[in-house]
Amino acid sequence: WICRVQGLTNEISAALSSRSPRARRSVTLSTQLQRASHARRRLQMRVQGLLLLVGAVLVLWGVVPLLLVSLNLWPPTLGTPFFYACPLPVGELVALMALRPTDAKAIRTVLATLASILLLFVPIFIYVLAASKGLSTAHVVFFACLGALCAGIAAGFY
């Protein structure tokens, strides 16, 4: 990196000392293009980081109520936990939007991790269904569909 910067500064100084306006203009354009490329990469990394952070917060916001319900720790004064679990799919999609389509290794890693996490949720949903004495029929159907959906998505990733 340092050698590249030194070579660039030598090239700029040689072009600026030459009397040709065309050489000066081409060097200034190349440095402007290089600066713009660096600025684009920095901005892209910041946007990707923000998308990952927002996605992680929304996923955690959606997962915690489901875990508390499955462990019978959900306080009834907060209302239905399914309302609080609504940001879960949105968070997953926002986090997936941070991946660039050309990063094949990162996409494979994220999808394998997501499939593993979804497979971990299936036993939780089965436990909730087995211990669903106080749940309404709609909640039982919801947990059964959610468990089947998680298992199906995870099987599709593998």
Side-chain angles (χ1 to χ4, degrees):
W1 183 79
I2 293 174
C3 294
R4 193 172 6 153
V5 171
Q6 284 177 339
L8 186 63
T9 54
N10 291 341
E11 181 183 332
I12 291 171
S13 63
L16 291 177
S17 65
S18 72
R19 300 187 184 242
S20 167
R22 178 182 241 172
R24 273 190 241 152
R25 191 171 39 241
S26 69
V27 169
T28 57
L29 285 178
S30 68
T31 56
Q32 286 176 351
L33 285 174
Q34 192 174 29
R35 287 180 186 159
S37 176
H38 288 307
R40 180 191 60 84
R41 281 191 223 125
R42 280 194 307 271
L43 182 63
Q44 183 179 16
M45 293 303 292
R46 290 176 67 188
V47 169
Q48 283 179 336
L50 179 67
L51 284 172
L52 281 174
L53 180 68
V54 168
V57 167
L58 289 174
V59 165
L60 284 177
W61 186 344
V63 166
V64 169
L66 295 177
L67 290 177
L68 290 176
V69 166
S70 66
L71 298 173
N72 289 329
L73 297 175
W74 182 259
T77 56
L78 291 178
T80 177
F82 306 108
F83 172 73
Y84 296 102
C86 289
L88 180 63
V90 176
E92 290 173 355
L93 293 177
V94 168
L96 287 175
M97 282 178 26
L99 294 175
R100 295 177 55 209
T102 56
D103 296 336
K105 185 177 180 182
I107 291 172
R108 279 194 302 268
T109 305
V110 167
L111 290 180
T113 305
L114 183 61
S116 302
I117 290 171
L118 288 175
L119 282 178
L120 288 176
F121 278 120
V122 172
I124 293 172
F125 295 135
I126 290 172
Y127 171 75
V128 169
L129 286 175
S132 63
K133 294 177 183 157
L135 289 178
S136 67
T137 307
H139 289 134
V140 171
V141 169
F142 172 76
F143 275 115
C145 290
L146 204 54
L149 180 68
C150 289
I153 291 173
F157 287 153
Y158 288 119

